[in-house]
Amino acid sequence: MAGSSTVLSDDSTLSFLDRKLYRLERFFALIAGIFAFGLMVLAVVSVTGRNGFNEPLPGYVDWIETFMPLIAILGVSYVQRDGGHIRMDIVVGQLKGRVLWAVEFITTIGILILILALVWGSWAHFDRSFDMSRPMWSRDSTIDIGLPLWPAKLVVPVAFAVMSVRLVLQIWGYGRAFIRGDETPAAVPLVQSVAEQAAAEAEHIQGRD
Amino acid sequence: MTPVEIGLWVTGGMLVLVVLGMRVAFAAALAGVVGLVWIFWEKKDYEAAEFAWALTVAVKTAGQVPHGKVASQALSLIPTFILIGYLAYYAGLTRALFEAAKRWVAWVPGGLAVSTVFATAGFAAVSGASVATAAVFARIAIPEMLAVGYDKRFAAGVVAAAGTLASLIPPSAILVIYAIIVEQDVGKLLLAGFIPGVFSAFVYTSLIVILALTIKGFGPPVTGFTWRQRFQSLPPALPIVAVVLIIIGFVYNPFGGDAWGTPTEGGAIGAFIVFLMAVFRGMRWPELKDALLETAKLSVMIFSIIWGVLIYVRFLGFADLPSAFSDWITSLDYSPMLILICILLAYAVLGMFMDAIGMLLLTLPVVYPAVMALNGGEFVSADDSAFGMNGTMCAIWFGILVVKMAEFCLITPPIGLNCFVVAGVRDDVSVQDVFRGVMPFFLADGVTIALLVAFPWIVLWLPSLAS
Amino acid sequence: TEWNVSLWGKRRAFTEHVHKLAELVEEKTDGEFTMNISYGGLSKNTENLDGISIGAFEMAQFCAGYHADKNRAITVLELPFLGVRNLDEEVAVSHAVYDHPAVAEEMAQWNAKMLMTSPMPQYNLVGTGEPRDELGDFDGMRVRATGGLGEAFRAVGGVPTSVTSSEAYQAMESGVVDTVAFAQHAHLSFGTINQAAWWTENLNPGTVNCPVVVNIDAYESLTDEEREALDSSVPEAIDYYLENYGELLQRWDEVLEEKGVEKVTISDEELAAFREATASISDTWVEEMTAQGIPGQELLDLVNSTLEQTRASN
Ligand code: NA
Ligand code: NA
C-alpha cells in the first residue's frame, strides 16, 4: 500500500545494494501487474471471440494457468522488501532496539532457510518438466492445448532466488543494527512505531533548519 | 510418535513463530516443510542414514506447492477483482460513489461512517475482493472522517469492516472459490449472497447510528447539502451502476436465451469496462502503472499466504489430520444444530490465525462433507433433513455462513487481513488502532451470523426463486 | 509395510478398484501390508506422477490426457475411434499397451511402474437444445472435450472449449458450451446430466486413460510375500471395478428416464463419416511420436491386434 515505504536509506554499501535490488524487485512486481491486466484482456478476447465469432480462445484455461505464477509469486520479494507480508506484530510491536533486531534477525533467518529449501524444491519441480531433448523442451504440458509447463514453473525458483538475496540483505541489516544498537537502521522495514519515530525525528531536524 | 501427534506439535511450533512476528505465510510454510521432514523420517524410524532422503523428499514435495496450487483458474479471480478495485479508484468512480452517499445520507448520526458503509456496499456490486475494497475506501473515506473529527481508530475500523461486504454482495471471488471447491452452482451461490450482504450492511449502519447516539463527540452528522447538490452528485456515480448492470446482464442474459458467459468472465468484463472509463477520465500510464503495482502487491500478499498455508496443509495431509478430524466430528453424539454452531465457532478461532481463502482451502474438503452428512446427505429431501432444507439448499446456506465467518476473520486479531491493509494504506494508523476501532463490528457480525443460522430463508429465498 | 496412495476428488466408481486392492492386499498379508488412501491430501491430480517420482507416496492414479508430455506413449489409448466397445476390451488394450517396453521405459523416467488401469466407457455427449444426431450439427458446436477428443470434434467443425470438469455444469448452464463429453459416472458426479436434454448413446468417439502406478523403489523393497499379494490382487480388483461400474451403467437408463433425457442414436453412415473425418488424427499422432523416438505405429498396431484377440477369444 501507501507508496511511501518504511525502509530508510543511508550511504552504506548495504543501503546501496538495497536500492539496487529494489529496482529489480519493482520491475518484477510491474511484470506481475501487467500479467494481471493480461488476465483481464484474455477474458475479454475469449468472451468476444466466443459470442461474436463463435471462436473461443483456444486453451483459455491453459493460458490463465500459465499466467498465474507470474502474478502471484514474481513479486514476493518486492513485498518482503517493504515489510508488506502479513504478520502479527503484537509482540514485536512492543520490542525496541537490540531485542527487536535480535528477534527480527532470527525470524528472518528462519524465512531464509525456508526460501532456500523452496528454491531447491521448486527448481526440482521445474527440472522434472524440462528436457532439452524434447520438442519445446517440454516434459510436462497443460491439459487442453499442451502448452509446455516449464516456463511457468521456472518463475518460482527465479522469484525465490531474488527473495533469498533480499533476505540476506535484511539479515545483514538486522545484524548490523544489533551490533551498532541502531534505533532506526537503514535497509530493513521498520515496524510502525519505529517508522513514526523516524518521521518525527526528521521533522524535528527540519524544524531546526 | 504418531503422525497425528507430529501434526499437533508442528502446529504448535507454527503458532509460536507467528506470535514471534514471523510473516504468517512463511511461518506456515516453514512449519509445513519441517513437518514433512519429520513425517518422512519417522517413516524410516529416524535412522540417521535416511535423514537426507527424508529431507529431499520433503523439500521436493513442498517445492511443488507454490506453482501447483497457484496455477488455478479459480484463483485467477483474485487478481482480477483486485485490479477492478484499483482501476475504479484511479478512475475516480469510488470517490464519486462516496460523495453521492455522503450528500444523501450523511445527515444521520454517525453520518460519514454510514455513508462509508453505503458507498462500500454499492461498490461491492462491482468488486469481488474484500481486501481491495478496504484498501480503496481507506484512501477515500478515512481522510474525510478524520477531517470532521472522527476518532481515527473508529474511522479505520468502519472501512475494514465495510470492506467485507464485497465478498457477500455479488460478484465475489470467495463465493466462486467455495462453489468450485464443493462443486455447487456458482450462479445460485452468488444470488444467495445478495440479501445477507445487504442485511449485513444494514446491521452495520444500525450499529453506527446507535454508537453515534450514545457516545458523545463520536462523529457529527454532516448536513447542509441542498437537494440540487444531492442530485448533482448522482451523474458522476452512475458509471458504477452501469458497470453493475452490465455484469448482471452478462451473467443473467436479460434478452432471454443463453447467458453471455460465466460469473468469472463477468468479473473480467467488468474490470475491462472500468478500465475504459478510467482511460476516458484521463488515466494514463503513470496512474495505470500505480494501479498495476498496487494490484501486484496485494495479489502477492494474498497468494503468499495461500501457498504458505497450503504447504502446511500438504503436511497435514501426510499426517492424516483431516480424516482424524472428520471421523471425530461424525462420531459426536450431539444434535446437528449444536455441531454446526460448534463448527462455526471453530471457524472463528481458526480465522484468528488465517486468511479467509487459506482457511476455506484448508477446511472445506473435511468440513463440507461432514456438514452435508449432518443434514442427511447430498440428495436428502427437505422433509427428511436435519436442517429442514434439501442437499443443494444446505450447500448454499452453509456456503454463505462459512463465507460470512471467513469475512468476519478478516477483521479479527491477531491476523485480520483487512485491518492490515487499512493500516498499510494509512501511515497514520497502526494495525492496533484498526483492531481497536473494528471491535464494535464483531457484535454486528455476531448478530448477523446468528440471524442467518436461525432464519435460513434470509439466505435461501432468492436462490429458491431461481430454481 | 504401509503405503500411501494418492487419488483425487471423492470416492466413486472410478476409484473402487483401488479400495478393493487395498482390502485384498491387507487380507492376504494378515494386515502386514496396508494402504492409506488419500483423496487430494498428498498431491494435486496433475502432479501425482511428480509425487511418485519424488518418492513422496508409493501408489497413485493419474490420467494420460492431463499432461501428454509426461506420458506420450500411453496417449495412444486416448486417440479417437479406436473401436473399443466395452470395459473388458478397454482393460485388455490398456494392459497390453502398459506392458509395452516403450511405456515401461517412459514410466521408469518417473520412477513409476504401471500396475493397472481404471477403465472408463466411451465419452458420450450430453447437450442442451435440439439433439445433434448428424455430423452437420457438430459444425460450430461448442463442446467441452479435451486432448484427442477435442481434436476429433474440431475435425468436424466443433469448437472445443476449455472448462475444468468441475466448472462443466456451470459452463453448460450459462451457455459457454453446448455439449459436454464425459463418461457416465462423470455426467452423474459433475451434474451435467441435470442440464441435459439429450445423450448420445453410440457416438463412442474415444475415452480417457487413467492408470494406477506404483513407485519402483517401493515396489522392489516389498517382501516377496507382499509383492505376490499385490500382483495377484490386480485381476480381482479390476473384476470388482467392472462389476461395480456395470451396475452403474444399468442404473444409467433409469437416470435418463428420470431426468427426461432423450437417448440419441447416430446412424451408421454419420458415424462412418465422423470416423473418416478424424482418421488423420492417428496418422499425425504416429508421425509426431516417431519423430520423438517412440514407436507410435507399433503401439497403434498393438491396440488393434489386442482388440482382435480379445474378440476372438470371446
Ligand atoms: Na462483491
Ligand atoms: Na483474523
Coordinates of all heavy atoms in Angstrom, one line a residue, chain C residues 7-8 12-18 59-64 77-78 87 90-92 94-95 98 114-121 123 183 185 207-213 234 237-238 241-242 245:
Chain C
L7 N -5.0 -40.3 -4.6 CA -6.1 -40.2 -5.6 C -6.6 -38.8 -5.5 O -6.1 -37.9 -4.8 CB -7.2 -41.2 -5.3 CG -6.8 -42.6 -5.0 CD1 -8.1 -43.5 -4.7 CD2 -6.1 -43.2 -6.2
W8 N -7.7 -38.4 -6.2 CA -8.3 -37.1 -6.1 C -9.8 -37.2 -6.1 O -10.4 -38.2 -6.5 CB -7.7 -36.2 -7.2 CG -8.2 -36.5 -8.5 CD1 -9.3 -36.0 -9.2 CD2 -7.6 -37.4 -9.5 NE1 -9.4 -36.6 -10.4 CE2 -8.4 -37.4 -10.6 CE3 -6.5 -38.2 -9.4 CZ2 -8.1 -38.2 -11.7 CZ3 -6.2 -39.0 -10.5 CH2 -7.0 -39.0 -11.7
R12 N -15.5 -42.8 -5.8 CA -16.5 -43.0 -6.8 C -16.2 -44.3 -7.6 O -15.2 -44.9 -7.3 CB -16.6 -41.8 -7.7 CG -15.2 -41.4 -8.4 CD -15.3 -39.9 -8.8 NE -14.1 -39.5 -9.6 CZ -12.9 -39.3 -9.0 NH1 -12.7 -39.4 -7.7 NH2 -11.9 -38.9 -9.8
A13 N -17.1 -44.6 -8.5 CA -16.9 -45.9 -9.3 C -15.5 -45.9 -9.9 O -14.9 -47.0 -10.0 CB -17.9 -45.9 -10.4
F14 N -14.9 -44.8 -10.2 CA -13.6 -44.7 -10.8 C -12.5 -45.0 -9.9 O -11.4 -45.3 -10.4 CB -13.5 -43.2 -11.3 CG -12.2 -42.8 -11.9 CD1 -11.9 -43.4 -13.2 CD2 -11.4 -41.8 -11.4 CE1 -10.7 -43.0 -13.8 CE2 -10.3 -41.4 -12.0 CZ -9.9 -42.0 -13.2
T15 N -12.7 -45.1 -8.6 CA -11.6 -45.4 -7.7 C -11.9 -46.7 -6.9 O -11.1 -47.0 -6.0 CB -11.4 -44.2 -6.7 OG1 -12.7 -44.0 -5.9 CG2 -11.1 -42.9 -7.3
E16 N -13.0 -47.4 -7.2 CA -13.3 -48.5 -6.4 C -12.3 -49.6 -6.4 O -12.1 -50.4 -5.5 CB -14.7 -49.1 -6.8 CG -15.9 -48.3 -6.2 CD -15.8 -48.2 -4.7 OE1 -15.4 -49.1 -4.0 OE2 -16.3 -47.2 -4.2
H17 N -11.6 -49.8 -7.6 CA -10.6 -50.9 -7.7 C -9.4 -50.7 -6.7 O -8.8 -51.6 -6.2 CB -10.2 -51.1 -9.1 CG -9.6 -49.9 -9.8 ND1 -10.0 -48.6 -9.4 CD2 -8.7 -49.8 -10.8 CE1 -9.3 -47.8 -10.2 NE2 -8.5 -48.4 -11.0
V18 N -9.1 -49.4 -6.4 CA -8.0 -49.1 -5.5 C -8.4 -49.6 -4.1 O -7.6 -50.2 -3.4 CB -7.6 -47.6 -5.6 CG1 -6.4 -47.4 -4.7 CG2 -7.3 -47.3 -7.0
M59 N 1.9 -45.1 -4.3 CA 1.0 -45.5 -5.4 C 0.1 -44.3 -5.7 O -0.2 -43.5 -4.9 CB 0.1 -46.7 -4.8 CG -0.7 -47.4 -5.8 SD -1.1 -49.0 -5.0 CE -2.8 -49.2 -5.6
A60 N -0.3 -44.2 -7.0 CA -1.1 -43.1 -7.4 C -1.9 -43.4 -8.7 O -1.5 -44.3 -9.5 CB -0.3 -41.9 -7.6
Q61 N -2.9 -42.6 -8.9 CA -3.7 -42.7 -10.2 C -3.5 -41.4 -10.9 O -3.4 -40.3 -10.3 CB -5.2 -42.9 -9.8 CG -6.1 -43.2 -10.9 CD -7.6 -43.3 -10.4 OE1 -8.0 -42.7 -9.4 NE2 -8.3 -44.2 -11.0
F62 N -3.5 -41.5 -12.2 CA -3.5 -40.2 -13.0 C -4.1 -40.5 -14.3 O -4.4 -41.6 -14.7 CB -2.0 -39.7 -13.2 CG -1.1 -40.6 -14.0 CD1 -1.0 -40.3 -15.4 CD2 -0.4 -41.6 -13.5 CE1 -0.2 -41.1 -16.2 CE2 0.4 -42.4 -14.2 CZ 0.5 -42.2 -15.6
C63 N -4.4 -39.4 -15.1 CA -5.0 -39.6 -16.4 C -4.0 -39.1 -17.5 O -3.4 -38.0 -17.3 CB -6.3 -38.9 -16.6 SG -7.6 -39.6 -15.5
A64 N -3.8 -39.9 -18.5 CA -2.8 -39.6 -19.6 C -3.0 -38.2 -20.1 O -2.1 -37.4 -20.4 CB -2.9 -40.6 -20.7
L77 N -3.9 -44.6 -26.2 CA -5.2 -45.1 -25.8 C -6.3 -44.0 -25.7 O -7.4 -44.3 -25.5 CB -5.0 -45.7 -24.4 CG -4.1 -46.9 -24.4 CD1 -3.6 -47.2 -22.9 CD2 -4.9 -48.1 -24.9
E78 N -5.9 -42.8 -26.0 CA -6.9 -41.7 -26.0 C -7.2 -41.2 -27.4 O -7.9 -40.2 -27.6 CB -6.4 -40.5 -25.1 CG -6.3 -40.9 -23.6 CD -6.1 -39.8 -22.7 OE1 -5.8 -38.6 -23.1 OE2 -6.2 -40.0 -21.5
L87 N -16.0 -52.2 -21.5 CA -14.9 -52.1 -20.5 C -13.9 -53.2 -20.5 O -12.7 -53.0 -20.3 CB -15.6 -51.9 -19.1 CG -16.3 -50.6 -18.9 CD1 -16.8 -50.5 -17.4 CD2 -15.5 -49.4 -19.1
E90 N -11.5 -52.4 -23.1 CA -10.7 -51.3 -22.6 C -9.6 -51.8 -21.7 O -8.4 -51.3 -21.8 CB -11.6 -50.3 -21.9 CG -10.9 -49.0 -21.4 CD -10.4 -48.1 -22.5 OE1 -10.9 -48.1 -23.6 OE2 -9.4 -47.4 -22.2
V91 N -9.9 -52.7 -20.8 CA -8.9 -53.3 -19.9 C -7.9 -54.0 -20.7 O -6.7 -53.8 -20.5 CB -9.6 -54.2 -18.9 CG1 -8.5 -55.0 -18.1 CG2 -10.5 -53.5 -17.9
A92 N -8.3 -54.8 -21.6 CA -7.4 -55.6 -22.4 C -6.4 -54.7 -23.2 O -5.2 -54.9 -23.1 CB -8.1 -56.5 -23.4
S94 N -5.6 -51.6 -22.7 CA -4.8 -50.8 -21.8 C -3.6 -51.6 -21.2 O -2.5 -51.2 -21.3 CB -5.6 -50.2 -20.6 OG -6.6 -49.4 -21.0
H95 N -3.9 -52.8 -20.7 CA -2.9 -53.6 -20.1 C -1.9 -54.0 -21.2 O -0.7 -54.1 -20.9 CB -3.5 -54.7 -19.3 CG -4.1 -54.2 -18.0 ND1 -4.7 -55.1 -17.1 CD2 -4.1 -53.0 -17.5 CE1 -5.1 -54.4 -16.1 NE2 -4.8 -53.1 -16.3
Y98 N 0.3 -51.1 -21.6 CA 1.1 -50.8 -20.4 C 2.3 -51.8 -20.4 O 3.4 -51.5 -19.9 CB 0.3 -51.1 -19.1 CG -0.8 -50.1 -18.9 CD1 -1.6 -50.3 -17.8 CD2 -1.0 -49.0 -19.7 CE1 -2.7 -49.4 -17.5 CE2 -2.0 -48.1 -19.4 CZ -2.8 -48.3 -18.4 OH -3.9 -47.4 -18.1
M114 N 3.7 -49.3 -14.1 CA 2.2 -49.5 -14.3 C 1.7 -50.7 -13.5 O 2.3 -51.8 -13.5 CB 1.9 -49.8 -15.8 CG 2.2 -48.6 -16.7 SD 1.0 -47.3 -16.3 CE 1.2 -46.3 -17.8
L115 N 0.6 -50.5 -12.8 CA 0.0 -51.6 -12.0 C -1.3 -52.0 -12.7 O -1.4 -53.2 -13.0 CB -0.3 -51.1 -10.6 CG -0.7 -52.2 -9.6 CD1 0.5 -53.2 -9.4 CD2 -1.1 -51.7 -8.3
M116 N -2.2 -51.1 -12.9 CA -3.5 -51.5 -13.6 C -4.1 -50.2 -14.1 O -3.7 -49.1 -13.9 CB -4.4 -52.1 -12.5 CG -4.7 -51.3 -11.4 SD -5.8 -52.1 -10.2 CE -6.0 -51.0 -8.9
T117 N -5.2 -50.5 -14.9 CA -5.9 -49.3 -15.5 C -7.1 -49.0 -14.7 O -7.5 -49.8 -13.8 CB -6.2 -49.6 -17.0 OG1 -6.7 -48.4 -17.6 CG2 -7.2 -50.7 -17.1
S118 N -7.8 -47.9 -15.0 CA -9.1 -47.6 -14.5 C -10.1 -47.4 -15.6 O -10.3 -46.3 -16.1 CB -9.0 -46.3 -13.7 OG -7.8 -46.2 -12.9
P119 N -10.6 -48.6 -16.1 CA -11.3 -48.5 -17.4 C -12.5 -47.6 -17.4 O -13.3 -47.7 -16.4 CB -11.7 -50.0 -17.7 CG -11.7 -50.6 -16.3 CD -10.6 -49.9 -15.5
M120 N -12.6 -46.8 -18.4 CA -13.8 -45.9 -18.5 C -14.5 -46.2 -19.8 O -13.8 -46.4 -20.8 CB -13.4 -44.5 -18.4 CG -13.3 -44.0 -16.9 SD -13.3 -42.3 -16.8 CE -11.6 -42.0 -17.3
P121 N -15.8 -46.1 -19.8 CA -16.5 -46.3 -21.0 C -16.3 -45.1 -22.0 O -15.7 -44.1 -21.6 CB -18.0 -46.3 -20.6 CG -18.1 -45.7 -19.3 CD -16.7 -45.9 -18.7
Y123 N -16.6 -41.7 -24.0 CA -17.1 -40.4 -23.6 C -18.2 -40.0 -24.6 O -17.9 -39.6 -25.7 CB -16.0 -39.4 -23.7 CG -15.2 -39.2 -22.4 CD1 -15.0 -40.3 -21.6 CD2 -14.7 -38.0 -22.0 CE1 -14.3 -40.2 -20.4 CE2 -14.0 -37.8 -20.8 CZ -13.8 -38.9 -20.0 OH -13.1 -38.7 -18.8
A183 N -17.6 -39.6 -19.4 CA -18.1 -40.9 -19.1 C -19.4 -40.8 -18.2 O -19.6 -39.8 -17.6 CB -17.1 -41.8 -18.4
H185 N -20.3 -41.9 -15.3 CA -20.2 -41.6 -13.9 C -19.8 -40.1 -13.7 O -20.3 -39.5 -12.7 CB -19.1 -42.5 -13.2 CG -17.7 -42.0 -13.4 ND1 -16.9 -42.4 -14.5 CD2 -16.9 -41.2 -12.7 CE1 -15.7 -41.8 -14.5 NE2 -15.7 -41.0 -13.4
T207 N -12.1 -42.4 -25.3 CA -12.2 -42.2 -23.9 C -10.8 -41.7 -23.3 O -9.9 -41.3 -24.1 CB -12.6 -43.5 -23.2 OG1 -12.8 -43.2 -21.8 CG2 -11.5 -44.5 -23.3
V208 N -10.8 -41.5 -22.0 CA -9.6 -41.1 -21.4 C -8.9 -42.2 -20.6 O -9.6 -43.1 -20.2 CB -9.9 -39.9 -20.4 CG1 -8.8 -39.6 -19.5 CG2 -10.4 -38.7 -21.2
N209 N -7.6 -42.3 -20.6 CA -6.9 -43.4 -20.0 C -6.3 -43.0 -18.7 O -5.4 -42.2 -18.7 CB -5.9 -44.0 -21.0 CG -5.5 -45.4 -20.5 OD1 -4.5 -45.5 -19.8 ND2 -6.2 -46.4 -20.8
C210 N -6.7 -43.7 -17.6 CA -6.2 -43.4 -16.3 C -5.6 -44.6 -15.6 O -6.3 -45.4 -15.0 CB -7.3 -42.8 -15.5 SG -8.1 -41.4 -16.3
P211 N -4.2 -44.7 -15.7 CA -3.6 -45.8 -15.0 C -3.4 -45.6 -13.5 O -3.4 -44.5 -13.0 CB -2.3 -46.0 -15.7 CG -2.0 -44.7 -16.4 CD -3.3 -43.9 -16.5
V212 N -3.2 -46.7 -12.8 CA -2.7 -46.7 -11.4 C -1.2 -47.2 -11.4 O -0.9 -48.2 -12.0 CB -3.5 -47.6 -10.5 CG1 -2.9 -47.6 -9.1 CG2 -5.0 -47.1 -10.5
V213 N -0.3 -46.4 -10.9 CA 1.1 -46.7 -10.9 C 1.7 -46.9 -9.5 O 1.1 -46.4 -8.5 CB 1.9 -45.7 -11.6 CG1 1.6 -45.6 -13.1 CG2 1.8 -44.3 -11.0
V234 N -4.5 -57.7 -8.4 CA -4.9 -56.8 -9.5 C -6.1 -57.3 -10.3 O -7.1 -56.6 -10.5 CB -3.7 -56.4 -10.4 CG1 -4.1 -55.8 -11.7 CG2 -2.7 -55.6 -9.7
A237 N -9.2 -57.0 -8.3 CA -9.6 -55.6 -8.1 C -10.3 -55.1 -9.4 O -11.3 -54.4 -9.3 CB -8.4 -54.7 -7.8
I238 N -9.7 -55.4 -10.5 CA -10.3 -55.0 -11.8 C -11.7 -55.6 -12.0 O -12.7 -54.9 -12.4 CB -9.4 -55.4 -13.0 CG1 -8.1 -54.5 -13.0 CG2 -10.1 -55.3 -14.3 CD1 -8.3 -53.1 -13.6
Y241 N -14.1 -53.8 -10.0 CA -14.4 -52.5 -10.6 C -15.4 -52.6 -11.7 O -16.4 -51.9 -11.8 CB -13.1 -51.9 -11.2 CG -13.2 -50.6 -11.9 CD1 -12.7 -49.4 -11.3 CD2 -13.6 -50.5 -13.2 CE1 -12.8 -48.2 -12.0 CE2 -13.7 -49.3 -13.9 CZ -13.3 -48.1 -13.3 OH -13.3 -46.9 -13.9
L242 N -15.2 -53.7 -12.6 CA -16.1 -53.9 -13.7 C -17.5 -54.2 -13.3 O -18.5 -53.7 -13.8 CB -15.5 -55.0 -14.6 CG -14.2 -54.7 -15.3 CD1 -13.7 -55.9 -16.1 CD2 -14.3 -53.5 -16.2
Y245 N -19.0 -50.9 -11.9 CA -19.3 -50.0 -13.0 C -20.5 -50.5 -13.8 O -21.3 -49.7 -14.3 CB -18.1 -49.7 -13.9 CG -18.1 -48.3 -14.4 CD1 -17.2 -47.3 -14.0 CD2 -19.0 -47.9 -15.4 CE1 -17.2 -46.0 -14.5 CE2 -19.1 -46.6 -15.9 CZ -18.1 -45.6 -15.4 OH -18.2 -44.4 -15.9

